[in-house]
């Protein structure tokens, strides 16, 4: 059978290299990064094992323990992007809501399959994009020709003839080939010259909203599955729409790409990739950990755990694309475990999460690194947003230190929400500048400690106010 294509391209990524990639976006938490890096590498290793043993090797699921905002979700999400694997996040606490039935737990697998189909479809669309774009242009070009012909008629170019000598010595006049006209139009279409012009185009009528409206009693993935089945019973209606050329190109490009795609192959590959490399992130797992043996909420929480158990152990879930086996799906659970602890989970579920890593709370030094080191650092995000208004933002080291200090103090005195506190503080710091930026002359704004203190002084002095604002 050999190595799966989607795993082969990551075969050279060692656990150390995976950690280096994660370091580009996540500060600290080395233990958690090492655990997920090993889990990803083990997937490739499993593909190298003899086929008779391959199915016996199951993934080692992970529980991440730590307060909110320390990077648990981001580690799992970045790992999935690195592996180009289907990834789905679900809140365990939603399964304790009123009206919950055990079968709803299977919806996480159906949603994971939908992610897999979308992921594989996007890859296949990229492969046929050039052909699809040419086909889309061929549909749009005839709608632009009348205006082009009128322009050529005005300068006399449309009436030109090509004279060809025949074999008998006579000379015949032929209309000039239109290929050059088409090529010229195509170049102008690609350059965006016609983007704001309007064309009348026949497109498929999206009737999915009406079908979904008829299925008010269904919810989530089941509603979408039933809507798809009902929609397939009726022929696709088409109607004429008047739209800008730019929008028409997007619509037609999507239709043409759909014609070139082999959906059976996409679904088959998506199912395989979901089964072999899918990752389900179960957040707030501590919310369903109870003491057991009680009444009321404890029974509900233990019931959710027992419903999760067969999915995590390995079972076949029916989806609209076919059955999906969860035996080799990697499950990463996470929770703060302030009130409960992992041992409060039922023993059977504990046994299915053999790897446990603790993520530590963030301190001032971590906040300073988060503000400056990652590829998507918050300071860079704010600077790039304001650059669009002609404002060049420069952060002084004193500002970084002050913001990190305030974040640490507020987290200590109020609820510890980790790095998310930085979002709240920076939004308050930039509130005035973001509001007035369109009215300012282009120039540079220096953010230092004095600037930060001036924007937050009133909030920090009033403890009651800071509870609401920060």
């Amino acid at each position: 059978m050999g190595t799966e294509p989607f795993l082969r391209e990551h075969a050279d990524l060692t656990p150390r290299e995976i950690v280096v990639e994660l370091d580009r976006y996540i500060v600290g938490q080395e233990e958690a990064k090492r655990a997920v890096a090993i889990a990803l590498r083990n997937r490739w290793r499993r593909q190298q094992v003899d086929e008779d043993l391959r199915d016996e090797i199951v993934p080692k699921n992970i529980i991440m323990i730590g307060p909110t905002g320390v990077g648990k979700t981001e580690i799992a999400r970045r790992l999935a992007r690195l592996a180009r694997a289907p990834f789905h996040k679900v809140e365990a606490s939603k399964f304790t809501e009123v009206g919950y039935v055990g079968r709803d737990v299977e919806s996480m697998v159906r949603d994971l399959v939908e992610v897999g189909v979308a992921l594989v479809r996007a890859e296949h669309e990229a492969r046929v994009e050039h052909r699809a774009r040419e086909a889309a242009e061929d549909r749009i070009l005839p709608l632009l020709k009348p205006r082009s012909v009128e322009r050529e008629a005005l300068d006399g170019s449309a009436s030109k003839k090509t004279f060809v000598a025949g074999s008998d010595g006579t000379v015949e006049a032929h209309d000039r080939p239109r290929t050059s006209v088409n090529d010229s139009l195509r170049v102008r279409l690609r350059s965006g010259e016609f983007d704001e012009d309007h064309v009348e185009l026949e497109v498929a009528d999206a009737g999915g909203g009406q079908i979904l409206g008829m299925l008010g009693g269904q919810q989530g993935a089941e509603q979408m599955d039933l809507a798809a089945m009902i929609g397939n019973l009726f022929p696709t209606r088409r109607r004429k729409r008047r739209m800008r050329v730019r929008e028409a190109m997007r619509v037609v490009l999507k239709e043409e790409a759909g014609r070139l795609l082999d959906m059976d192959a996409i679904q088959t590959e998506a199912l395989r990739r979901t089964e072999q490399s899918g990752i389900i992130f179960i957040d707030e797992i501590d919310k369903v950990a109870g003491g057991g043996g009680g009444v009321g909420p404890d029974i509900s929480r233990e019931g959710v755990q027992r419903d999760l158990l067969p999915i995590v152990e390995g079972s076949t879930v029916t989806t609209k694309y076919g059955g999906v086996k969860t035996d080799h799906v990697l499950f990463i659970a996470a929770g703060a475990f302030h009130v409960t602890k992992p041992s409060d989970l039922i023993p059977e579920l504990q046994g299915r999460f053999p790897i446990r890593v603790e993520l530590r709370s963030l301190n001032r030094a971590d906040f300073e690194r988060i503000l400056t080191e990652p590829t998507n650092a918050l300071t860079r995000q704010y600077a790039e947003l304001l650059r669009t208004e002609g404002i060049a933002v420069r952060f002084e080291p004193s500002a970084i230190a002050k913001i990190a200090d305030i974040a640490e103090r507020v987290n200590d005195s109020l609820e510890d929400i980790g790095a998310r506190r930085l979002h709240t503080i920076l939004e308050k710091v930039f509130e005035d500048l973001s509001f007035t930026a369109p009215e300012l002359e282009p120039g540079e704004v220096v953010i230092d400690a004095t600037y930060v203190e001036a924007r937050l002084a009133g909030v920090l002095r009033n403890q009651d106010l800071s509870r609401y604002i920060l």
Side-chain angles (χ1 to χ4, degrees):
M1 182 175 176
T3 306
E4 298 291 349
F6 60 89
L7 292 175
R8 186 183 300 122
E9 58 192 77
H10 301 289
D12 295 331
L13 279 180
T14 65
R16 191 180 305 278
E17 290 169 337
I18 295 170
V19 170
V20 169
E21 288 295 316
L22 293 176
D23 283 341
R24 295 177 55 202
Y25 300 95
I26 303 150
V27 169
Q29 313 301 1
E30 285 76 13
E31 184 182 355
K33 290 176 183 174
R34 285 170 61 92
V36 298
I38 293 171
L40 181 59
R41 181 67 177 186
N42 278 340
R43 293 195 150 187
W44 174 81
R45 290 167 178 159
R46 175 178 164 270
Q47 295 298 323
Q48 316 309 311
V49 175
D50 290 339
E51 194 167 354
D52 58 344
L53 184 60
R54 188 180 305 159
D55 288 341
E56 302 298 326
I57 301 175
V58 296
K60 306 301 185 289
N61 299 321
I62 303 168
I63 288 185
M64 294 185 181
I65 305 166
T68 183
V70 296
K72 300 187 296 294
T73 304
E74 191 65 12
I75 288 174
R77 181 179 289 116
R78 292 292 174 182
L79 183 75
R81 289 186 183 178
L82 185 61
R84 291 211 340 230
F87 173 84
H88 178 59
K89 176 186 175 183
V90 64
E91 309 285 341
S93 56
K94 85 169 188 174
F95 298 124
T96 63
E97 296 172 356
V98 176
Y100 162 78
V101 291
R103 192 174 54 183
D104 288 349
V105 172
E106 296 183 350
S107 65
M108 69 172 71
V109 180
R110 296 192 184 97
D111 291 338
L112 182 68
V113 175
E114 293 292 346
V115 173
V117 171
L119 185 67
V120 175
R121 182 187 175 108
E123 293 174 2
H124 283 239
E125 284 179 344
R127 297 172 193 168
V128 301
E129 182 181 8
H130 180 71
R131 290 161 56 198
R133 184 169 297 279
E134 286 191 343
E137 290 169 350
D138 289 340
R139 285 178 59 182
I140 298 293
L141 285 174
L143 306 177
L144 303 175
K145 280 184 179 179
R147 195 181 73 167
S148 174
V149 170
E150 290 175 7
R151 288 180 175 175
E152 290 186 344
L154 289 175
D155 61 19
S157 59
S159 60
K160 292 180 180 178
K161 300 286 186 180
T162 300
F163 296 93
V164 181
S167 58
D168 58 356
T170 61
V171 177
E172 298 178 355
H174 298 272
D175 291 330
R176 189 180 63 178
R178 302 297 294 172
T179 304
S180 59
V181 177
N182 282 339
D183 291 344
S184 173
L185 275 176
R186 194 182 297 270
V187 171
R188 291 156 62 190
L189 176 61
R190 291 177 178 177
S191 70
E193 179 180 336
F194 302 110
D195 279 358
E196 297 304 316
D197 291 0
H198 285 79
V199 293
E200 194 173 69
L201 185 68
E202 191 179 70
V203 296
D205 186 16
Q210 298 176 356
I211 296 175
L212 287 175
M214 297 163 56
L215 304 175
Q218 304 291 331
Q219 293 183 357
E222 292 182 357
Q223 184 188 48
M224 298 301 294
D225 292 349
L226 189 54
M229 287 189 294
I230 294 176
N232 290 334
L233 297 177
F234 301 95
T236 303
R237 294 186 302 174
R238 301 186 69 83
R239 64 185 179 91
K240 285 190 175 183
R241 282 184 56 195
R242 182 174 175 80
M243 63 184 80
R244 285 187 173 88
V245 170
R246 181 175 61 247
E247 181 187 356
M249 274 298 300
R250 286 198 299 266
V251 173
V252 176
L253 182 60
K254 185 176 180 180
E255 285 189 0
E256 293 300 328
R259 290 192 178 100
L260 294 171
L261 296 178
D262 183 348
M263 287 307 300
D264 289 337
I266 289 174
Q267 292 171 14
T268 300
E269 183 180 346
L271 288 177
R272 186 179 68 247
R273 193 180 297 193
T274 299
E275 290 180 340
Q276 301 299 324
S277 72
I279 299 174
I280 292 182
F281 185 83
I282 306 176
D283 202 6
E284 297 185 347
I285 192 72
D286 56 318
K287 298 296 192 301
V288 299
V295 295
D298 283 343
I299 294 177
S300 173
R301 288 194 289 265
E302 184 171 328
V304 172
Q305 294 181 60
R306 296 202 176 278
D307 291 333
L308 284 170
L309 186 59
I311 305 295
V312 178
E313 283 183 332
S315 59
T316 300
V317 176
T318 303
T319 74
K320 67 181 181 181
Y321 303 105
V324 175
K325 299 173 68 175
T326 64
D327 301 65
H328 300 289
V329 172
L330 176 64
F331 290 88
I332 302 177
F337 289 98
H338 290 313
V339 179
T340 59
K341 51 189 180 297
S343 59
D344 289 331
L345 297 167
I346 61 175
E348 298 91 336
L349 194 59
Q350 289 184 50
R352 286 296 170 176
F353 288 89
I355 301 176
R356 300 176 187 180
V357 293
E358 186 171 359
L359 286 80
R360 59 180 178 79
S361 296
L362 302 175
N363 56 31
R364 185 184 315 179
D366 293 323
F367 290 140
E368 290 187 14
R369 294 179 60 196
I370 290 171
L371 288 169
T372 56
E373 291 184 10
T375 304
N376 58 340
L378 287 174
T379 50
R380 180 183 177 189
Q381 293 180 30
Y382 277 90
E384 291 300 321
L385 285 172
L386 289 170
R387 189 185 302 277
T388 62
E389 304 278 6
I391 305 297
V393 176
R394 179 163 59 86
F395 286 88
E396 291 288 335
S398 62
I400 301 296
K402 176 59 67 175
I403 294 170
D405 178 63
I406 292 172
E408 183 182 52
R409 285 193 285 125
V410 175
N411 273 348
D412 288 342
S413 59
L414 303 177
E415 188 74 20
D416 185 359
I417 60 173
R420 293 189 177 94
R421 188 73 69 185
L422 295 174
H423 290 268
T424 308
I425 293 173
L426 280 171
E427 195 62 32
K428 190 63 181 174
V429 168
F430 279 92
E431 183 178 22
D432 292 340
L433 183 57
S434 296
F435 185 82
T436 59
E439 305 163 7
L440 300 177
E441 292 292 328
E444 184 181 64
V445 174
V446 178
I447 309 295
D448 55 16
T450 303
Y451 187 99
V452 173
E453 288 177 343
R455 291 340 183 250
L456 298 176
V459 179
L460 293 175
R461 280 196 301 266
N462 189 332
Q463 289 295 323
D464 291 333
L465 184 60
S466 66
R467 292 179 181 273
Y468 293 97
I469 303 300
L470 299 180

